[in-house]
Amino acid sequence: MERNVDQRFDSSEADFAAEENSMVVDKVLNTIVPGRAQREQQKSKEQKLDLELKETFPTSDPLASTQPGAGVTGSEVKPSKLSPSQIASGRK
């Protein structure tokens, strides 16, 4: 039974080493291949949008990242009209 535990431990070490090597290769490629970093960043954004779309389907709610104020506390857009309570209080 100890052998199985050791094999799982060795496997996780190998996975970690492979991931670490992959990150190093990505950094090197980003420095020597023109435009690669920007393409990878765009690809990452597209994958995030695809994931959000899959998670919201089939509802009609818009994706959170496409809404004003996404990722920011509070509203980024000022209302174009006064609300009835603002009109009643005399705000301009």
Side-chain angles (χ1 to χ4, degrees), residues 14 36 42 73:
R36 184 177 188 277
Q42 181 64 27
T73 344

Side-chain angles (χ1 to χ4, degrees), residues 26-71:
D26 282 341
K27 286 182 181 180
V28 170
L29 286 174
N30 285 344
T31 58
I32 61 174
V33 177
R36 184 177 188 277
Q38 290 81 12
R39 286 191 302 274
E40 290 296 317
Q41 187 177 25
Q42 181 64 27
K43 184 178 174 182
S44 175
K45 286 180 183 178
E46 289 175 5
Q47 287 174 342
K48 181 181 176 187
L49 284 173
D50 287 344
L51 178 63
E52 287 183 359
L53 185 59
K54 286 178 186 177
E55 289 176 350
T56 60
F57 188 79
T59 64
S60 60
D61 294 338
L63 302 176
S65 61
T66 62
Q67 297 303 303

Side-chain angles (χ1 to χ4, degrees), residues 71-83:
V72 179
T73 344
S75 176
E76 292 178 3
V77 181
K78 291 188 176 188
S80 59
K81 296 181 180 178
L82 295 176
S83 69

